[in-house]
Amino acid sequence: MSEVSKKVYVYLENGTFLEANSFGADDTVVGEIVFNTSMSGYQEIMSDPSYAGQFVTFTMPEIGNVGVNDQDMESSKAHAKGMIVRKYQARYSNFRAEESLNAFLIKHNIMGICDIDTRFLTKMIRNEGAMMMVASTSISDKDELKKILENSPRIEDVNYIEQVSTKKAYKHETSTYSYREFEYEAAPTAKANIAVIDFGVKRNILNEIVSAGIGVEVIPNDFSADDLIAKYNDKSIDGVFLSNGPGDPLVLKKEQEQIKKLIVAKIPMFGICLGHQLLSISHGYDTFKLKFGHHGGNHPVKNIKTGLVEITAQNHNYNVPDNIVEIAEVTHTNLFDNTIEGLRYNDSPIFSVQHHPEASPGPKESKYIFSEFLSLIKR
């Protein structure tokens, strides 16, 4: 029996109207459409909080063939608005699989769109930029869908951080997962302790921090800088990590004000993705939106210090401005478009990267950055 349930109708803000098939949840959903070039890791992508508010178009044509399992979740649930694939494979084959992708999407109330020309969509996004769209399994009228889209908030108008951040602080003690032994590796003894500000942190980022020998307490996005400064002064923590997360960093005014206080206090900090962007804004350098963003597990980044090219995982629509070199040294650059991928601030114990150094679902060659954070806070 096929898991493809019914027709779905798609309307994009540039006027494109498409008919396809659906799997997963039935609904009428509005979100921003982006494309992802990863060859694997669709479950990690769908459960990455940074994709909140977005439809993810996969350039990999066959999706669903390895099923899903609890081990590969990057958070407690799926956060994307929906996934768009060329061909959905209902029949999965993997010894680690626990259920089908269709069952997973239904459980998390996420729409799947299939039997659609993803090459056409990807080229359109590349040429015209990321845009808003609406998809419905119940409404087929183009004008009605257009009206729904026009009356819905845009992704930059929504504070998705409040939806994905933890509501209470917790300790994270799990280390990285070994796919050779099929179990979590033993966590090393912590040589330092940090507070992780959760803007939508991925589980494997926390695993990598613990594996580097750092104790982790995850705290909500509505944190108090004064509390963290007090903890730093009494040596309860040795530094602060600013996580990845969804949406436009410029809307996070309260978070920016708290980060400014941490900067003034000279607390060692490390930011990834949204954290990288918030550090730039808090230093007085506003971010800008890229045309179609960087989304995928195969993006080349050059390490300026070593000269080596690292293949990285990426997931962002926003970037820091070039004139930030007035106060920071560029440590990494993106070889696709020469945008800034890493910074080390001149007069503060602070550094950040735009890409994701954790190996989930991307490669492992950037994971040394977590050890660099330990070295920074030990100094």
Side-chain angles (χ1 to χ4, degrees):
M1 179 178 175
S2 172
E3 290 187 335
V4 175
S5 60
K6 60 176 67 172
K7 292 294 183 182
V8 60
Y9 302 91
V10 178
Y11 179 82
L12 290 88
E13 67 175 306
N14 67 352
T16 301
F17 181 62
L18 302 168
E19 178 183 313
N21 290 316
S22 75
F23 61 106
D26 295 334
D27 206 347
T28 299
V29 185
V30 174
E32 182 182 55
I33 182 172
V34 298
F35 65 84
N36 186 293
T37 59
S38 293
M39 300 294 287
S40 62
Y42 56 78
Q43 182 184 348
E44 291 94 330
I45 291 166
M46 295 304 293
S47 59
D48 179 352
S50 295
Y51 280 107
Q54 294 179 321
F55 282 87
V56 184
T57 303
F58 287 83
T59 59
M60 179 67 180
E62 302 282 339
I63 297 291
N65 51 339
V66 295
V68 300
N69 65 82
D70 287 341
Q71 193 67 63
D72 290 342
M73 293 293 289
E74 283 299 322
S75 61
S76 61
K77 65 177 184 178
H79 295 274
K81 289 283 188 175
M83 65 189 309
I84 304 174
V85 305
R86 178 67 186 94
K87 180 68 175 178
Y88 167 61
Q89 290 292 345
R91 184 178 179 180
Y92 59 90
S93 177
N94 187 295
F95 74 100
R96 298 177 65 238
E98 297 168 355
E99 62 180 351
S100 69
L101 176 59
N102 180 68
F104 170 82
L105 293 183
I106 292 174
K107 181 168 65 179
H108 294 280
N109 196 33
I110 303 296
M111 177 183 289
I113 300 172
C114 63
D115 302 321
I116 194 169
D117 190 345
T118 51
R119 183 187 294 269
F120 163 77
L121 288 173
T122 300
K123 291 171 70 176
M124 181 180 65
I125 298 166
R126 180 196 65 189
N127 294 334
E128 300 185 35
M131 64 186 76
M132 297 297 292
M133 63 163 276
V134 57
S136 178
T137 54
S138 59
I139 302 171
S140 59
D141 183 74
K142 175 181 176 180
D143 292 334
E144 187 175 352
L145 290 173
K146 179 181 179 182
K147 185 176 181 181
I148 291 172
L149 184 59
E150 289 175 344
N151 292 324
S152 298
R154 301 184 63 83
I155 190 169
E156 55 266 27
D157 299 327
V158 181
N159 187 341
Y160 282 104
I161 305 300
E162 294 179 348
Q163 299 180 22
V164 303
S165 179
T166 184
K167 302 306 178 188
K168 60 181 181 179
Y170 65 92
K171 297 280 189 180
H172 183 91
E173 298 174 332
T174 305
S175 189
T176 53
Y177 189 76
S178 170
Y179 289 96
R180 177 174 297 184
E181 304 297 334
F182 298 107
E183 62 183 21
Y184 285 105
E185 297 174 354
T189 301
K191 301 180 181 66
N193 295 287
I194 64 166
V196 170
I197 313 301
D198 180 15
F199 302 122
V201 69
K202 290 174 63 180
R203 188 169 292 166
N204 203 49
I205 287 180
L206 300 176
N207 292 345
E208 294 283 7
I209 294 173
V210 171
S211 295
I214 303 172
V216 167
E217 181 181 20
V218 184
I219 63 177
N221 67 297
D222 59 349
F223 68 98
S224 164
D226 292 336
D227 288 348
L228 292 182
I229 293 169
K231 288 184 177 182
Y232 179 70
N233 289 335
D234 69 19
K235 303 190 184 306
S236 297
I237 62 170
D238 301 290
V240 172
F241 173 81
L242 306 178
S243 85
N244 62 293
D248 186 346
L250 288 174
V251 308
L252 305 177
K253 303 300 184 184
K254 293 184 296 183
E255 289 84 351
Q256 293 164 26
E257 290 305 312
Q258 297 305 306
I259 293 171
K260 288 177 183 178
K261 291 183 179 182
L262 299 179
I263 293 171
V264 171
K266 299 285 186 181
I267 293 181
M269 282 192 284
F270 171 33
I272 287 178
C273 203
L274 182 72
H276 167 78
Q277 297 159 11
L278 284 170
L279 282 168
S280 174
I281 297 168
S282 300
H283 277 91
Y285 293 79
D286 286 354
T287 52
F288 64 95
K289 189 169 186 178
L290 296 164
K291 185 175 181 180
F292 48 80
H294 299 155
H295 310 276
N298 42 20
H299 291 225
V301 165
K302 184 174 182 179
N303 183 319
I304 303 301
K305 182 178 180 180
T306 65
L308 297 176
V309 175
E310 303 164 11
I311 304 302
T312 69
Q314 303 261 346
N315 178 21
H316 60 277
N317 274 3
Y318 299 88
N319 220 87
V320 303
D322 290 342
N323 66 338
I324 200 170
V325 296
E326 296 169 352
I327 62 165
E329 172 192 4
V330 176
T331 59
H332 299 77
T333 56
N334 188 298
L335 294 184
F336 280 155
D337 59 8
N338 293 317
T339 52
I340 294 171
E341 287 280 350
L343 293 167
R344 187 175 295 276
Y345 288 85
N346 295 336
D347 300 318
S348 304
I350 300 172
F351 74 100
S352 61
V353 293
Q354 181 61 75
H355 53 282
H356 283 249
E358 79 283 356
S360 182
K364 298 181 177 180
E365 51 215 72
S366 295
K367 66 180 297 181
Y368 66 87
I369 293 173
F370 295 101
S371 296
E372 287 191 353
F373 186 36
L374 176 62
S375 297
L376 173 69
I377 56 185
K378 291 297 288 182
R379 287 199 299 270

